[in-house]
Amino acid sequence: MMATTRPPLALHIAPPTQRRPKPVEKIALVKLRKSFGLIEVLKGVSLKANEGDVVSILGSSGSGKSTLLRCVNFLETPDSGDVILCGEHVRMRQRSDGRSVPADPAQLTRVRTRAAMVFQSFNLWSHRTILENVIEAPVHVQGRPRKDCVEEAEALLDKVGLAAKRHDYPAVLSGGQQQRAAIARALATHPEVLLFDEPTSALDPELVGEVLKVMRGLAEEGRTMLVVTHEMGFARHVSTRTLFLHQGLVEEEGPSEEMFAHPRTDRFRQFIKRAQP
Amino acid sequence: MPSFDLFLGPNGWGKPLLSAALMTVALSLSGLAVGALFGAVLAHARIGGGLVLRSLADAVTTILRGVPDLLVIYLFYFGGSGLLSWAGHAAGYDGFIGLPVFLTGTLALGVVSAAYQAEVFRGAFNAIPRGQIEAARAAGMRNVLMFRRILVPQVLRHALPGLGNVWQLILKDSALISVIGLVELLRAAQIGAGSTRQPFLFYSAALVLYLVITSVSGQVFRWAETRSLRPFRRA
Amino acid sequence: MDFAFLQTTLLTLLGGLPLTLELAVSSILLGGGGALMLTLMQASGSLLLSAPARAYVFVFRGTPLLIQLFMIYYGLGQFRPTLQELGLWSFFRDPYWCAVLAMAMNTAAYASEIIRGGLGSVPPGALEAATACGMRPLLRLRRVILPLAIRQALPAYSNELILMVKATSLASIITMMEVTGLASKMIAETYRSIEIFACAGLIYLALTLILTRAVLLLEWRLSTTRKNGTPA
């Protein structure tokens, strides 16, 4: 990226990384707009992620980064723009009061099992054990045989280091353990895309590391991930690309290492500086 | 002791009083069930309804909480019987047709307790962290599945203490059903008091039986509560 | 709609309003006194006082008000000669006083629990702070404990007040012609239960609404989260 004049921000798309000759597009968000009341949170944001991409979404609070992520699995429905997930365009329709909603419930369910989400506040179901949390969606949403799901769930819990805790209820786990359990739950539906919404922001500092380690492992497996985060180290060294949002617009984006080494915009330079003590 | 034979003798009053106590329990249980149904509908309207539905539910709640239960019982008994008599008249039968008293009592207790149960359900629903509902949606659950797997089990757990209170309320309210002639505990005591001219003795006996019912069922609720709240407590 | 009938019904029923109010006010006042006594007995630390108070609360909260009423009005009739000797018969023969007594005894039990809950909600830290700045027990009670406890207990007590207003209707079962008594008499005479229910319901609703508003106003006056508020 040597160009002195930059192409229009919203449409700027980073060149594919070299390690994959034929990239498969997993997520495409095109010119998303979203308002809450009079406040326009997203003012036409576009984003693409190919298979194996780990995209960090950075920005100060109120920049719209969480809203952007929540538009991918339609926890928020964008007012306009397109969401294309694994090649499938998610249809929306206008309700009589002018709000747009997903048009097809079956499609929505499909989308949501393809794009699993990990939340800031874990959101484990408190009336079910860790294992039950993990098998809930595969058994009841996807209708897979319980026995298979249990086997798989135990393997997943082993992978995130929680095999011993599988019959405990969420309330007895630490925040870091709960978040790792939530990651196992997200993986249980065999998602093609993982969405992380500030997964370490609600954790005590000493618990952040264990969660980041699990996430780094997932990135190394070549999973497609969108990560809204404040962890600069993760954004810079683990994620392949970074998207910096400012007031509902993409201010800067590019390959992570390069972007952190040579920030092009003042705002992003300021943002990195403030984040580093 | 004369009162010994009076209750425990071969033709004693012990047996009718005990079966009347069972009637009180049965009546209260069916009232609780009907009230849970009405209450769930009310709570649903108050949580998820549009403006019209919500105001309607609010109005019903206000009325039910502000009007004496006795009046509601009269309304059901005389109103229901009135309708029945009117229908009977149309079918060629002249005269007053009384509504079955157990049914009337169940309906009245259900309606009277519905407002309280709605509040309990609403509170229990609000006690579920929003994030867990979002997680369910993000996992691809549709409304019915989420309702069945995530909401109902948690609402029931959070509602147990409140339902325990409502149950006590219904048990005590069930005594009012005696005014329309259902032979539950209080009515049975009244009958015994009338035919033996020992009202103090009979009302005391009924009082003790009420105490047994309320404290035993209270214990059951507390036991269920500690059991069901186990997952929510930190070890 | 038969407006003429509704009007006469409403007017007839309003005739029972003074009695309803009298019953409610006297039993609430008497019951409030009883509640304070029960609370003090339970807080006294002496088993001789607290055990009977606890037993009393257990019995009155665990049984229906109607049986308590029958116990006093009909049950004590069994001891008529003794009561006559004691000169209490004129009191226990009168349904009005029996109703007031039953309701007052009943609400005393519930209200004492509410007061106890309010007192229990006072954070120990607030007490320590009061002690630390040199308040003596009585001053502490007056300036810290009671103001905090009353604020905490008010919503529950307002509920109890409404229940008491509604409970006055039970007096109709022992022949008192207050609003519900008049209503049931009219229903039995005319079988127009829906109209009569509506009129009686309206009267009770107005009463409970006024009561709720009054308590809300009081709560607002005492509110500690109100902006720019001057504590009452």
Side-chain angles (χ1 to χ4, degrees):
Chain A
M1 300 305 299
M2 301 298 287
T4 46
T5 54
R6 288 182 290 120
L9 281 174
L11 293 174
H12 175 78
I13 290 144
T17 45
Q18 294 139 343
R19 55 195 171 114
R20 283 169 201 280
K22 265 191 190 166
V24 181
E25 187 185 274
K26 286 289 179 187
I27 302 173
L29 308 177
V30 185
K31 293 189 177 169
L32 294 191
R33 286 178 171 275
K34 173 76 184 173
S35 301
F36 294 106
L38 293 173
I39 302 156
E40 194 171 27
V41 181
L42 298 178
K43 301 169 182 166
V45 177
S46 299
L47 179 159
K48 280 197 180 176
N50 294 330
E51 188 170 8
D53 278 353
V54 178
V55 182
S56 287
I57 302 171
L58 303 179
S60 46
S61 68
S63 59
K65 53 190 191 308
S66 278
T67 307
L68 180 66
L69 194 74
R70 291 160 61 86
C71 282
V72 178
N73 64 351
F74 285 77
L75 285 184
E76 307 289 354
T77 306
D79 298 334
S80 68
D82 297 293
V83 176
I84 299 145
L85 199 77
C86 309
E88 189 176 355
H89 184 263
V90 185
R91 289 182 300 282
M92 292 184 262
R93 64 180 174 82
Q94 295 271 316
R95 258 188 357 193
S96 55
D97 61 1
R99 280 173 53 188
S100 55
V101 290
D104 177 0
Q107 187 188 38
L108 190 66
T109 300
R110 204 156 57 232
V111 163
R112 284 176 170 167
T113 48
R114 276 185 194 159
M117 187 174 245
V118 175
F119 298 86
Q120 178 176 356
S121 46
F122 333 131
N123 297 349
L124 292 171
W125 297 304
S126 50
H127 60 306
R128 307 214 181 277
T129 63
I130 298 304
L131 184 72
E132 287 168 346
N133 262 278
V134 177
I135 63 170
E136 179 70 28
V139 172
H140 293 281
V141 179
Q142 296 178 313
R144 279 154 52 193
R146 189 186 172 87
K147 196 170 149 285
D148 299 359
C149 295
V150 171
E151 269 172 34
E152 222 180 280
E154 285 180 339
L156 283 172
L157 285 172
D158 193 39
K159 182 168 151 180
V160 298
L162 286 175
K165 301 278 183 190
R166 62 185 187 280
H167 295 307
D168 283 343
Y169 284 98
V172 303
L173 267 57
S174 75
Q177 290 170 331
Q178 288 194 46
Q179 194 59 299
R180 284 185 280 143
I183 293 173
R185 175 176 72 176
L187 293 172
T189 52
H190 300 166
E192 297 184 50
V193 171
L194 289 171
L195 309 173
F196 291 85
D197 190 3
E198 304 200 27
T200 56
S201 298
L203 296 176
D204 292 335
E206 74 270 20
L207 301 176
V208 169
E210 61 188 68
V211 172
L212 285 180
K213 201 178 124 211
V214 170
M215 288 171 63
R216 179 191 288 264
L218 294 174
E220 283 163 0
E221 282 174 16
R223 293 193 183 259
T224 314
M225 296 161 63
L226 289 194
V227 186
V228 171
T229 187
H230 292 291
E231 290 294 326
M232 292 300 157
F234 181 89
R236 179 165 187 169
H237 302 298
V238 181
S239 67
T240 51
R241 286 194 305 119
T242 293
L243 193 84
F244 176 63
L245 286 185
H246 179 73
Q247 291 183 353
L249 286 169
V250 179
E251 180 82 7
E252 180 166 344
E253 71 165 313
S256 300
E257 290 282 4
E258 187 184 316
M259 211 170 124
F260 275 88
H262 310 288
R264 281 164 287 147
T265 62
D266 286 341
R267 285 215 180 87
F268 188 52
R269 196 172 298 122
Q270 289 290 322
F271 185 78
I272 309 173
K273 203 185 266 172
R274 252 182 293 136
Q276 275 152 1
Chain B
M1 205 171 156
S3 62
F4 186 83
D5 263 3
L6 194 60
F7 286 108
L8 298 177
N11 292 315
W13 288 92
K15 228 171 117 194
L17 274 184
L18 278 180
S19 61
L22 282 183
M23 176 56 96
T24 285
V25 172
L27 176 68
S28 305
L29 275 176
S30 51
L32 183 75
V34 170
L37 202 72
F38 291 154
V41 171
L42 266 184
H44 183 78
R46 293 187 72 177
I47 294 166
L51 190 66
V52 180
L53 217 55
R54 224 169 38 230
S55 341
L56 205 68
D58 281 342
V60 170
T61 311
T62 313
I63 292 173
L64 287 181
R65 300 189 81 155
V67 175
D69 306 340
L70 194 56
L71 267 178
V72 178
I73 292 166
Y74 285 147
L75 174 76
F76 271 76
Y77 185 61
F78 290 107
S81 304
L83 275 179
L84 216 60
S85 302
W86 179 77
H89 189 75
Y93 173 81
D94 271 327
F96 180 79
I97 307 174
L99 206 61
V101 279
F102 188 85
L103 184 71
T104 317
T106 298
L107 278 178
L109 287 180
V111 166
V112 162
S113 70
Y116 295 103
Q117 300 210 52
E119 267 317 283
V120 170
F121 289 143
R122 201 163 69 111
F125 175 78
N126 287 335
I128 304 174
R130 289 309 81 169
Q132 292 190 23
I133 293 166
E134 279 204 335
R137 281 202 285 142
M141 293 193 192
R142 295 212 218 147
N143 286 344
V144 178
L145 186 63
M146 179 163 77
F147 185 74
R148 193 162 61 79
R149 300 284 309 168
I150 307 295
L151 294 184
V152 171
Q154 294 215 58
V155 163
L156 283 184
R157 280 174 166 85
H158 288 299
L160 258 181
L163 283 183
N165 287 338
V166 174
W167 165 251
Q168 298 283 339
L169 214 82
I170 294 177
L171 265 180
K172 287 177 257 173
D173 253 7
S174 75
L176 294 184
I177 305 300
S178 64
V179 300
I180 57 170
L182 181 70
V183 185
E184 41 64 74
L185 188 44
L186 184 56
R187 185 76 188 167
Q190 249 175 318
I191 295 168
S195 52
T196 60
R197 305 203 169 256
Q198 299 212 38
F200 191 80
L201 194 65
F202 272 85
Y203 289 130
S204 300
L207 198 83
V208 169
L209 284 173
Y210 272 117
L211 272 182
V212 169
I213 297 171
T214 51
S215 43
V216 166
S217 58
Q219 216 57 47
V220 170
F221 263 97
R222 263 188 296 282
W223 171 80
E225 233 174 86
T226 38
R227 260 191 70 97
S228 73
L229 288 179
R230 215 175 277 160
F232 297 96
R233 267 199 310 271
R234 300 195 61 114
Chain C
M1 271 266 197
D2 186 349
F3 281 106
F5 180 72
L6 282 179
Q7 198 187 352
T8 43
T9 306
L10 198 60
L11 285 176
T12 314
L13 294 183
L14 277 175
L17 186 58
L19 185 54
T20 292
L21 284 175
E22 257 177 75
L23 283 166
V25 170
S26 16
S27 55
I28 284 168
L29 288 181
L30 260 171
L36 278 180
M37 218 166 69
L38 285 169
T39 314
L40 288 178
M41 282 168 76
Q42 290 204 51
S44 68
S46 138
L47 197 68
L48 214 66
L49 287 173
S50 69
R54 266 209 299 279
Y56 176 97
V57 171
F58 174 71
V59 171
F60 276 85
R61 291 181 72 212
T63 54
L65 172 58
L66 190 56
I67 198 171
Q68 294 159 17
L69 184 61
F70 281 7
M71 196 88 177
I72 292 170
Y73 185 61
Y74 297 116
L76 291 182
Q78 203 175 322
F79 308 109
R80 182 172 169 178
T82 325
L83 290 170
Q84 272 171 332
E85 255 175 60
L86 292 169
L88 290 172
W89 180 241
S90 58
F91 180 85
F92 285 106
R93 198 184 47 188
D94 186 343
Y96 176 81
W97 287 114
C98 285
V100 168
L101 185 64
M103 285 195 290
M105 289 178 83
N106 182 275
T107 190
Y110 285 94
S112 83
E113 283 295 282
I114 292 168
I115 299 174
R116 223 161 57 92
L119 289 176
S121 75
V122 176
L127 274 185
E128 274 178 18
T131 317
C133 69
M135 287 194 192
R136 304 260 203 86
L138 217 61
L139 187 66
R140 216 168 51 185
L141 184 74
R142 194 162 59 80
R143 298 294 308 166
V144 178
I145 299 178
L146 283 183
L148 284 172
I150 286 172
R151 282 175 174 80
Q152 185 67 33
L154 210 49
Y157 191 62
S158 123
N159 237 352
E160 176 61 21
L161 290 181
I162 289 170
L163 286 178
M164 282 325 283
V165 170
K166 288 164 64 173
T168 56
S169 65
L170 296 199
S172 68
I173 299 175
I174 55 166
T175 71
M176 297 298 294
M177 280 298 150
E178 37 65 77
V179 176
T180 302
L182 292 172
S184 64
K185 184 161 159 266
M186 282 189 84
I187 291 178
E189 281 164 1
T190 64
Y191 285 99
R192 298 173 78 162
S193 50
I194 293 171
E195 290 106 315
I196 295 165
F197 172 84
C199 291
L202 206 67
I203 294 172
Y204 282 104
L205 270 183
L207 271 184
T208 48
L209 215 66
I210 292 169
L211 200 59
T212 339
R213 290 290 128 162
V215 178
L216 276 181
L217 190 71
L218 187 61
E219 269 178 51
W220 182 79
R221 287 267 304 165
L222 295 176
S223 162
T224 49
T225 50
R226 180 160 48 112
K227 278 183 185 164
N228 306 323
T230 44

